[in-house]
Amino acid sequence: MAFDIEMIKKVYAIMPARIEKARKALGRPLTLAEKILYSHLDAHTELKDYPRGNSYVDFNPDRVAMQDATAQMALLQFMQAGRPIVAVPSTVHCDHLITAKVGAEKDLAVANTESKEVYDFLASVSNKYGIGFWKPGAGIIHQVVLENYAFPGGMMIGTDSHTVNAGGLGMIAIGVGGADACDVMAGLPWELKMPKLIGVKLTGKLSGWASAKDVILKVAGILTVKGGTDKVIEYFGEGAISLSCTGKGTICNMGAEVGATTSTFGYDESMSRYLTATGRADVAGLADTIKEHLTGDKEVYADPKKYFDEVIEINLSELEPHVNGPFTPDLATPISKLKEVAMANGWPLTIEAGLIGSCTNSSYEDISRAVSLAKQVSEKGLKAKAEFMINPGSEQIRFTIARDGFLDVFDKVGATVFTNACGPCIGMWDRVGAEKKEKNTIIHSFNRNFAKRADGNPNTYAFVASPELVTAMAIAGTLSFNPLTDTLTNDKGEQVKLDEPTGNELPPKGFAVDDAGFEAPAADGSSVQVLVNPDSKRLQLLDPFAAWEGTDLKGLKLLIKAKGKCTTDHISMAGPWLKFRGHLDNISNNMLIGALNAFNEKTDSVKNQLTGKYDGVPAVQRAYKAKGIGSIVVGDENYGEGSSREHAAMEPRHLGVRVVLVKSFARIHETNLKKQGMLGITFVDVADYDKIKEDDVIDVTGLTTFTPGKNLALTLHHADGSSESFEVKHSYNAQQIEWFKAGGALNIIRASVKA
């Protein structure tokens, strides 16, 4: 029987009636996204047609998922909420803190030693508060969720931006910060801006080298990294139905790379097959009884431009494999053009490493198609030119592909199998030689490829492709190779061509696993002690942030004016810093060290206005904090894109930054700032960014009459004695303004419990 089957039964029992009421209230047919959103409205929220991209609406998600790096802070906050048990089914997955270096067995043993106190904390707090716990080595959160918890028509939030992976099983699944997760686990409604809708109509059918990955690589090229911001992408059409469930998951997973709130597909036979194969035939049976409610209305798909804000059409029969990158996941290049583009841009052609797996592409189908190519290495007298590495998505996947002989095939081509964990995809890769910072190229089936992301080397050119294309390119060892047309020279000097990849959607012998790695919580956790050592360097209990003092913010020092792309990786790096995710003060020593200072084109080098000297960003901010001086961070477009990590909001808050002023925000990061009581504002005129000078002291006024839709004023006091003012805007609604006044949303939760 599936996890949480009684909860799923309740969702399905009320869903049809709620959808019908929504259809009448809106006076029109509904998209799938609208059906799920409106059927999950909080009971105290008025049922009406909320303007997309404008109205903030309260929802009641069905479940919460957390990975170990973000769960620490989420659960430290939940502990302050005063609740005895989580209000909705919730899980913790230990997948981020395992460094990939030697191989699965040794790397996992090292992680279990190095991160023991963190794992013990997560296990104990999960046990106490009724949270399911997935041990280190059990698998990557999104693969495990797809295999065990995702269900068509459900609504889930997760403390990781790739929570959206569950859209492959017809969910509305959204990445959030830990404070949002805390709210839902505490039984409170969750607020989201009603998203705009992008419809992607898929026609035709994939064949040959083309895969589901190429769909989202193509879409990323169309929409760019911010084209999906505050939008849900809904896929439909005959092409969508032809895709496997896990292929749909891959597409939804990388929707995070275009900034989408989430992506989803309507329920179909592929989802039913996957649910049954993963031991959830009971869920498939329930879904079948209301299947007409688990997809968009026919009228919507017949005339999509009438119901979606934007429509994209892709013919899968004509789709060419793509390679995206380097340094950004939206730079899309068809494989037929890759050699030409790479040479024109001076990208290193020699591929040093190929990596497959991750939460994006570690399904049985992905691995089986990749192994069909790996088999050809020995069969055709070839030798893989690049290093080859694999991150299985879960222990169930690893066990099954080992049973079916896939790992033996990979072993023959010299592949290294890492732990069932994120590893290189999130920078947890202890790559030999990376410290030399040599210019090199890697290709992987992950989702992100920002500079330094995989191995910490800013000169590693990382490219994103499907697992099968990665495998072929690793065999050839060069970006100039097109497996669709080119040949390779074998050990006999013959020219041989790789056969097209083949594979199975699901394992013919079924999935198998000895120990999936799950630990159920105590039936009564009231006597369970949460393990936190007061002297720990890894864990630190939280103190509440101070409430707003009730005045305008004046005399703020400019901490940094960040130039260009500033992702959450730049604001709060991962890699070796992951170990401090449960210790706010220690991890704050990485605050904005990756951001590029607009005034000197350097990272981690800003002017201390108290001394006139340059120092690291955290050091300068700590100097301001010691003197009781507030500061402001200025940023560029799409500030805070990438991972959902709320540390990127909590670190500035902890160190005394009062305001973040940017040209535009990425959705999750803006929400995280609001949740922590920060003031996140944007330029009315983006040209005003250029007015800000290095020695500026800045006032933000209008806060004593802070109201939704009303602009604030900002005054720059320049070092030469001159000053200039301009308006800035915000997107705070009435509830979010209360978060700001209280010093953070959690302070309001705590007060409500005490009351």
Side-chain angles (χ1 to χ4, degrees):
M1 183 178 289
F3 286 100
D4 310 317
I5 189 66
E6 294 305 316
M7 177 268 284
I8 297 172
K9 287 179 180 178
K10 290 178 182 177
V11 171
Y12 285 175
I14 62 176
M15 196 171 189
R18 288 191 171 187
I19 289 172
E20 187 54 37
K21 286 181 180 178
R23 192 182 285 114
K24 288 180 179 178
L26 274 61
R28 56 176 170 78
L30 302 178
T31 67
L32 170 63
E34 288 175 320
K35 288 182 178 182
I36 300 175
L37 290 169
Y38 278 96
S39 65
H40 284 82
L41 284 181
D42 180 63
H44 300 291
T45 299
E46 182 183 357
L47 177 57
K48 65 178 185 179
D49 193 354
Y50 288 95
R52 298 173 188 165
N54 189 12
S55 300
Y56 283 92
V57 185
D58 285 343
F59 296 96
N60 294 130
D62 300 313
R63 65 172 307 106
V64 173
M66 297 163 280
Q67 41 95 335
D68 50 355
T70 52
Q72 295 171 64
M73 199 57 68
L75 293 174
L76 285 166
Q77 291 177 88
F78 180 77
M79 288 170 65
Q80 291 189 50
R83 308 283 183 176
I85 192 170
V86 292
V88 300
S90 304
T91 51
V92 168
H93 305 260
C94 296
D95 61 358
H96 271 56
L97 301 178
I98 303 168
T99 300
K101 184 176 182 178
V102 179
E105 187 175 344
K106 291 184 179 179
D107 292 346
L108 181 58
V110 170
N112 277 322
T113 299
E114 288 185 343
S115 295
K116 184 178 187 303
E117 66 173 315
V118 173
Y119 294 147
D120 287 348
F121 162 71
L122 292 173
S124 63
V125 76
S126 296
N127 201 25
K128 182 175 183 65
Y129 293 109
I131 300 168
F133 181 72
W134 290 81
K135 297 182 293 185
I140 305 173
I141 175 173
H142 312 304
Q143 179 71 24
V144 173
V145 165
L146 198 72
E147 291 176 356
N148 296 277
Y149 299 109
F151 66 98
M155 186 180 200
M156 176 177 74
I157 62 169
T159 59
D160 188 284
S161 55
H162 293 104
T163 299
V164 294
N165 188 79
L169 253 174
M171 292 195 86
I172 288 290
I174 301 173
V176 300
D180 280 345
C182 180
D183 284 359
V184 175
M185 289 189 292
L188 300 179
W190 171 66
E191 183 186 70
L192 176 73
K193 184 188 291 184
M194 184 60 79
K196 291 187 176 182
L197 302 177
I198 298 176
V200 179
K201 182 178 182 179
L202 302 180
T203 61
K205 189 175 183 179
L206 294 171
S207 63
W209 286 88
S211 73
K213 181 75 162 211
D214 297 305
V215 176
I216 187 58
L217 295 179
K218 174 78 171 178
V219 170
I222 295 169
L223 291 176
T224 78
V225 290
K226 65 176 189 175
T229 303
D230 289 330
K231 300 170 186 174
V232 170
I233 304 175
E234 183 171 324
Y235 293 84
F236 63 94
E238 61 178 354
I241 294 172
S242 72
L243 297 170
S244 68
C245 176
T246 51
K248 293 177 172 72
T250 292
I251 292 169
C252 293
N253 183 298
M254 267 197 75
E257 272 46 77
V258 299
T261 300
T262 193
S263 305
T264 194
F265 285 79
Y267 177 66
D268 60 22
E269 285 300 316
S270 72
M271 295 183 192
S272 177
R273 290 193 297 270
Y274 186 74
L275 286 167
T276 301
T278 51
R280 293 173 288 170
D282 46 357
V283 177
L286 290 170
D288 287 338
T289 65
I290 61 164
K291 60 184 177 182
E292 70 271 21
H293 301 294
L294 301 177
T295 189
D297 287 334
K298 292 179 180 178
E299 299 92 331
V300 170
Y301 296 154
D303 189 7
K305 291 184 180 179
K306 184 177 178 181
Y307 300 97
F308 292 99
D309 299 290
E310 183 179 349
V311 176
I312 296 169
E313 187 166 339
I314 297 173
N315 186 340
L316 301 186
S317 300
E318 299 173 355
L319 183 64
E320 186 177 352
H322 278 63
V323 177
N324 285 26
F327 305 126
T328 185
D330 61 348
L331 182 56
T333 305
I335 187 65
S336 63
K337 303 288 185 184
L338 184 61
K339 178 180 178 180
E340 172 189 339
V341 174
M343 294 181 71
N345 285 282
W347 300 338
L349 293 181
T350 300
I351 297 172
E352 303 290 344
L355 306 99
I356 66 170
S358 83
C359 69
T360 325
N361 278 106
S362 57
S363 67
Y364 188 88
E365 181 179 37
D366 289 328
I367 304 301
S368 66
R369 283 173 64 85
V371 86
S372 74
L373 293 163
K375 285 179 179 177
Q376 297 178 48
V377 172
S378 58
E379 292 172 354
K380 296 180 183 288
L382 298 168
K383 184 177 181 181
K385 300 287 182 62
E387 281 190 277
F388 195 64
M389 287 149 276
I390 305 161
N391 271 86
S394 69
E395 175 57 14
Q396 179 166 269
I397 287 289
R398 189 213 62 80
F399 190 96
T400 303
I401 64 175
R403 178 204 66 191
D404 292 352
F406 292 177
L407 294 186
D408 293 335
V409 174
F410 286 131
D411 184 60
K412 289 178 182 177
V413 299
T416 299
V417 179
F418 290 135
T419 313
N420 313 317
C422 301
C425 184
I426 59 161
M428 294 296 283
W429 182 19
D430 189 355
R431 186 184 181 192
V432 175
E435 72 284 353
K436 298 176 184 177
K437 297 186 177 180
E438 294 175 339
K439 194 174 181 180
N440 75 104
T441 284
I442 65 172
I443 186 166
H444 58 58
S445 68
F446 308 156
N447 38 47
R448 292 195 175 132
N449 59 343
F450 302 134
K452 303 183 184 180
R453 172 86 179 179
D455 61 2
N457 177 3
N459 297 313
T460 292
Y461 287 60
F463 295 86
V464 182
S466 66
E468 45 268 58
L469 204 61
V470 169
T471 305
M473 301 293 273
I475 293 169
T478 177
L479 286 179
S480 64
F481 178 65
N482 179 356
L484 283 71
T485 58
D486 298 347
T487 59
L488 297 169
T489 305
N490 68 8
D491 54 12
K492 297 179 181 178
E494 301 167 336
Q495 294 301 301
V496 296
K497 193 168 181 287
L498 293 174
D499 300 327
E500 292 178 348
T502 58
N504 293 300
E505 174 185 330
L506 296 165
K509 299 178 184 177
F511 286 106
V513 67
D514 278 347
D515 178 9
F518 175 73
E519 292 182 356
D524 178 3
S526 57
S527 62
V528 174
Q529 170 125 18
V530 176
L531 304 178
V532 179
N533 184 335
D535 299 321
S536 173
K537 303 299 182 189
R538 300 283 300 272
L539 296 164
Q540 178 188 48
L541 295 177
L542 296 174
D543 292 320
F545 289 131
W548 173 57
E549 53 270 68
T551 61
D552 289 330
L553 301 178
K554 295 185 176 182
L556 304 176
K557 302 290 188 186
L558 175 66
L559 176 61
I560 186 172
K561 179 180 174 180
K563 179 181 178 182
K565 189 183 285 288
C566 192
T567 71
T568 48
D569 278 333
H570 295 93
I571 304 168
S572 175
M573 287 186 176
W577 290 95
L578 280 176
K579 68 172 69 77
F580 299 122
R581 283 284 180 87
H583 197 293
L584 183 55
D585 193 58
N586 282 347
I587 198 170
S588 293
N589 288 321
N590 78 357
M591 185 189 74
L592 285 159
I593 62 175
L596 188 69
N597 183 353
F599 297 110
N600 61 9
E601 301 281 332
K602 294 181 180 179
T603 58
D604 202 25
S605 175
V606 295
K607 191 173 184 179
N608 183 333
Q609 291 191 34
L610 302 177
T611 65
K613 297 179 180 178
Y614 287 84
D615 204 344
V617 184
V620 171
Q621 183 53 40
R622 286 186 186 275
Y624 293 157
K625 182 179 182 180
K627 295 288 186 180
I629 299 170
S631 65
I632 182 170
V633 168
V634 176
D636 215 318
E637 297 281 4
N638 206 29
Y639 182 87
E641 70 173 281
S643 169
S644 68
R645 69 193 63 156
E646 67 183 331
H647 297 76
M650 295 186 77
E651 292 173 31
R653 182 76 168 98
H654 172 66
L655 292 183
V657 176
R658 302 301 302 273
V659 181
V660 179
L661 167 65
V662 300
K663 293 180 181 177
S664 65
F665 282 109
R667 177 191 63 84
I668 299 177
H669 186 63
E670 183 178 25
T671 300
N672 285 345
L673 290 170
K674 291 176 179 179
K675 282 280 183 175
Q676 301 303 333
M678 290 281 284
L679 183 63
I681 52 180
T682 55
F683 293 98
V684 172
D685 181 355
V686 294
D688 289 335
Y689 171 92
D690 298 323
K691 295 177 180 177
I692 295 172
K693 303 185 187 310
E694 190 170 29
D695 293 301
D696 281 351
V697 176
I698 301 170
D699 300 336
V700 179
T701 55
L703 289 171
T704 55
T705 56
F706 195 10
T707 52
K710 183 179 179 181
N711 287 348
L712 302 171
L714 188 135
T715 301
L716 306 175
H717 299 283
H718 300 310
D720 62 6
S722 65
S723 63
E724 53 187 318
S725 300
F726 50 84
E727 288 193 348
V728 290
K729 57 186 177 180
H730 68 86
S731 63
Y732 287 71
N733 61 24
Q735 178 176 256
Q736 294 166 348
I737 289 173
E738 293 305 311
W739 298 344
F740 171 76
K741 291 178 177 179
L746 188 58
N747 290 347
I748 294 176
I749 297 175
R750 188 185 305 105
S752 69
V753 172
K754 289 181 180 178

